[in-house]
Amino acid sequence: MRQILSRFPPQHFLDDWVSFPAGATEGIPDKIADPQDYLRRAFGANAAYILSGSTETAHGTERLPMPARKSLITLDLAFSAFDSYLIRRGFSPIEMENKWFIYFKDSGLFLRRSWTGRLIYHVAFQERGDTLYASHAHANRDPEQWPNGSDEYDRRELLALINILLLNKR
């Protein structure tokens, strides 16, 4: 529970549950009924979604395959058991501003644009017990689908998406 609270602090959700004057968030006590209430707010109320997270069919866009024009990006990343759990959960967009739809399937992480379904990144993982290891990823190089054609840019973007959307490391 301590690792969950450090990564998903209750203050992260306060705007959704309570109203208070602007700028008054400093020192506000946690307004959580119990640990189950907190987990529902952090991970969702549906038990199936909590356990499985985002799936390939959870978002209604077309799922286009990775185009033939792609680049191989070296990653060499190892994730803890907790981070591996969060990665396997993926990310389903809730608001229009959420531009990514991310899901884990067959030891791979698929990162798609939420509006078009275009596959921009595919991360190949090795599952090592409860943990994940990522040796490499493919990045879309079709200029009509993803105009960012730099391996360095895509590596930074991919790591930011994993850290921010999946691991909630800001």
Side-chain angles (χ1 to χ4, degrees), residues 58-124:
H59 191 62
T61 60
E62 183 179 3
R63 292 176 309 281
L64 302 171
M66 178 69 78
R69 291 181 69 177
K70 59 188 173 194
S71 182
L72 185 69
I73 299 173
T74 302
L75 295 176
D76 192 30
L77 300 170
F79 295 94
S80 70
F82 182 68
D83 286 351
S84 296
Y85 165 76
L86 293 174
I87 288 169
R88 286 181 181 105
R89 285 184 50 41
F91 176 81
S92 289
I94 299 168
E95 302 168 341
M96 289 184 65
E97 293 80 21
N98 300 142
K99 296 180 171 93
W100 294 94
F101 166 49
I102 305 169
Y103 60 92
F104 190 87
K105 178 183 173 190
D106 299 330
S107 297
L109 188 67
F110 296 80
L111 295 92
R112 297 182 176 277
R113 297 301 284 180
S114 62
W115 286 17
T116 63
R118 292 176 177 159
L119 181 57
I120 305 302
Y121 302 113
H122 175 256
V123 182

Side-chain angles (χ1 to χ4, degrees), residues 147-159:
N148 307 314
S150 156
D151 286 354
E152 185 53 38
Y153 170 86
D154 281 322
R155 186 177 198 285
R156 283 193 317 268
E157 177 79 0
L158 177 59
L159 294 176

Side-chain angles (χ1 to χ4, degrees), residues 14-60:
L14 281 177
D15 290 336
D16 294 339
W17 324 342
V18 297
S19 58
F20 46 83
T25 59
E26 190 72 25
I28 289 182
D30 298 341
K31 305 249 192 293
I32 299 172
D34 55 49
Q36 285 73 28
D37 179 41
Y38 170 75
L39 292 172
R40 275 191 302 278
R41 294 176 192 277
F43 294 105
N46 179 309
Y49 178 76
I50 291 169
L51 295 174
S52 67
S54 187
T55 63
E56 182 179 21
T57 58
H59 191 62

